[in-house]
Amino acid sequence: MLPLTDVISLALPGGRPQAGKKDTEITSANEVNFIDVAAESGLHVTTIFGGEHKNKYLLETTGCGIAFYDFDNDGWLDIFIVNGTRLEGFPAGQEPVNHLFKNNRDGTFTDITDKAGLRHSGWGQGCCVGDYDNDGWDDLFITYFGKNVLYHNNGNGTFTDVSEKAGVAGNAPDGQLAALSSITTATATSICSSRIISISI
């Protein structure tokens, strides 16, 4: 069995570590650093999912989803961030909403949520991307505690909510969706979602 440092080194320039080298030497030579550039990139929104300092219910611990995908087919990955809420709610007009950030191709992003028609509040859980109608434009499916939302990509920078029309909104009084996945074939994309249920004994 290879040590972790050896496994990591296989993916780095130079390949497999040289025989006789210590793990500490390998780690030092192949050190990788990450720098937080979210603020200067324009990714300055706050993601809410339950209490800030204390969580009482499972729902408050699951976090929210994110999708890196090229919604406008310009060859650059854009970012969609799912947002949630808190049990006590928010004043009208101050509810957290999802965000779509367009890649400006220069290391920065622009929030185009409203322009794209993707402003939606609720307890978001996750999301997946797939071209469900095979029109060449990736659509967006978002899971919620409550009803899900399927957005059709109109191909012009905007989206249309087709959840009810497509029959994927769901109606779970006891909770909705802990996970989701997209299964794509050459001819069709299917949406698979799971549900949180409550059991009383």
Side-chain angles (χ1 to χ4, degrees), residues 17-199:
Q18 298 178 9
K21 279 200 171 185
K22 296 180 180 180
D23 290 352
T24 53
E25 295 176 319
I26 297 170
T27 302
S28 176
N30 298 325
E31 185 175 352
V32 177
N33 294 311
F34 291 90
I35 301 174
D36 186 350
V37 296
E40 50 264 50
S41 297
L43 304 172
H44 46 69
V45 298
T46 301
T47 302
I48 304 294
F49 53 96
E52 186 174 354
H53 302 293
K54 183 179 180 180
N55 296 320
K56 183 177 181 180
Y57 299 102
L58 178 62
L59 179 64
E60 299 179 88
T61 67
T62 57
C64 301
I66 188 169
F68 291 80
Y69 88 108
D70 183 11
F71 82 93
D72 53 0
N73 288 345
D74 65 354
W76 294 77
L77 286 178
D78 309 292
I79 302 177
F80 179 79
I81 301 176
V82 180
N83 220 329
T85 186
R86 293 196 175 117
L87 295 175
E88 62 271 25
F90 286 82
Q94 298 181 30
E95 302 91 346
V97 298
N98 301 323
H99 292 274
L100 175 64
F101 289 94
K102 177 176 173 54
N103 193 328
N104 299 324
R105 312 182 189 186
D106 60 0
T108 66
F109 295 80
T110 299
D111 189 338
I112 61 168
T113 308
D114 291 332
K115 180 180 179 181
L118 292 173
R119 173 172 286 270
H120 189 92
S121 60
W123 207 300
Q125 295 282 279
C127 61
C128 66
V129 173
D131 183 10
Y132 79 89
D133 58 351
N134 289 330
D135 64 355
W137 298 86
D138 281 334
D139 309 295
L140 182 63
F141 181 65
I142 309 167
T143 62
Y144 283 90
F145 180 79
K147 289 194 173 185
N148 308 314
V149 180
L150 174 63
Y151 287 104
H152 176 261
N153 189 334
N154 299 321
N156 60 2
T158 68
F159 292 78
T160 300
D161 183 345
V162 295
S163 315
E164 298 291 347
K165 180 181 179 180
V168 297
N171 186 19
D174 296 316
Q176 183 70 36
L177 282 120
L180 66 155
S181 64
S182 176
I183 304 171
T184 306
T185 67
T187 58
T189 298
S190 302
I191 297 174
C192 174
S193 61
S194 61
R195 175 176 298 174
I196 300 173
I197 61 172
S198 64
I199 303 176

Side-chain angles (χ1 to χ4, degrees), residues 1-11 16-18 21-24 26-27:
M1 178 180 292
L2 288 174
L4 177 60
T5 50
D6 287 12
V7 174
I8 294 174
S9 69
L10 294 175
R16 196 178 185 87
Q18 298 178 9
K21 279 200 171 185
K22 296 180 180 180
D23 290 352
T24 53
I26 297 170
T27 302

